Amino acid sequence: MPAPTLTTARLVLRQLREDDAAALFPVLSDAEVMIWWSSGPHASLAETEAYVKGNAAEGQGYHCWAITAGDDVALGWVILIDGKTQVKEIGYILRRDHWGAGIAREAVARVIAHGFDDLGLRRIFADTDPENGGSIALLERLGFQREGRLRGEWETHIGVRDSLIFGLLRDEWMMEKTGE
């Protein structure tokens, strides 16, 4: 089943499609964007096409939304990966020339709301590199709490890396939304 279309004031989040590869190649081939990703920058459009095809496929145990600003051009994505019952992992990537404009925060917040409000999740977590200050700041702004550090967790294109785990509970999200 495809990811449902989600909207915000500025964005349309829709199912990632195979034909988004050309728009996402500048994201996935950007060394600065990809430094904290589990794989290195893509060297060719063909590599991006294969990668996007895998993430766009349905029935893989996750939903992946293309982030668009209403023109249907993918600027990045947000993914919600199946975990335990009522628990999912969130991940995201955004084209560098859109950093700092609140787009990632808006898109991730909308997917979090969908997870808690529509899917009935009790917990959403994220896994990020300890040196990824932008992602850590985004998670903290959204109310995530640092839960732990996994030492030597990932073997990546920049070596073996630790991982910080951040978690957000449904009740915490509801309090954040209502301002209590």
Side-chain angles (χ1 to χ4, degrees):
M1 171 176 249
T5 299
L6 306 174
T7 60
T8 71
R10 299 184 294 168
L11 306 174
V12 175
L13 308 177
R14 55 138 175 95
Q15 173 69 41
L16 183 69
R17 302 184 307 243
E18 288 183 41
D19 66 359
D20 288 322
L24 291 171
F25 179 65
V27 180
L28 298 170
S29 64
D30 184 324
E32 188 174 344
V33 173
M34 296 295 285
I35 192 164
W36 308 121
W37 209 248
S38 56
S39 58
H42 292 189
S44 69
L45 179 57
E47 183 179 1
T48 299
E49 287 170 343
Y51 192 71
V52 170
K53 181 178 182 178
N55 281 289
E58 295 178 33
Q60 301 271 6
Y62 51 79
H63 280 128
C64 193
W65 289 267
I67 302 169
T68 73
D71 58 4
D72 204 42
V73 175
L75 305 173
W77 72 60
V78 181
I79 190 167
L80 207 51
I81 304 165
D82 287 351
K84 299 174 185 163
T85 303
Q86 295 183 313
V87 176
K88 292 191 186 284
E89 179 179 359
I90 198 161
Y92 40 86
I93 194 165
L94 183 67
R95 208 168 77 191
R96 184 163 34 111
D97 62 343
H98 285 76
W99 290 0
I103 290 174
R105 184 185 190 287
E106 192 172 324
V108 172
R110 181 62 185 95
V111 171
I112 290 169
H114 170 69
F116 288 136
D117 298 342
D118 302 327
L119 301 179
L121 300 179
R122 66 178 157 81
R123 179 175 184 271
I124 295 174
F125 72 96
D127 174 341
T128 193
D129 189 285
E131 293 183 33
N132 187 346
S135 187
I136 292 167
L138 171 64
L139 293 168
E140 289 174 341
R141 279 194 307 276
L142 290 168
F144 282 77
Q145 301 295 312
R146 180 175 161 178
E147 296 178 335
R149 183 182 194 118
L150 304 175
R151 297 176 300 143
E153 177 68 2
W154 291 102
E155 186 168 341
T156 75
H157 61 287
I158 60 171
V160 175
R161 305 295 297 173
D162 289 0
S163 182
L164 294 182
I165 304 300
F166 286 83
L168 180 64
L169 302 177
R170 183 180 191 282
D171 293 345
E172 294 166 342
W173 177 254
M174 298 309 289
M175 284 191 302
E176 183 84 18
K177 278 178 37 177
T178 60
E180 294 176 5

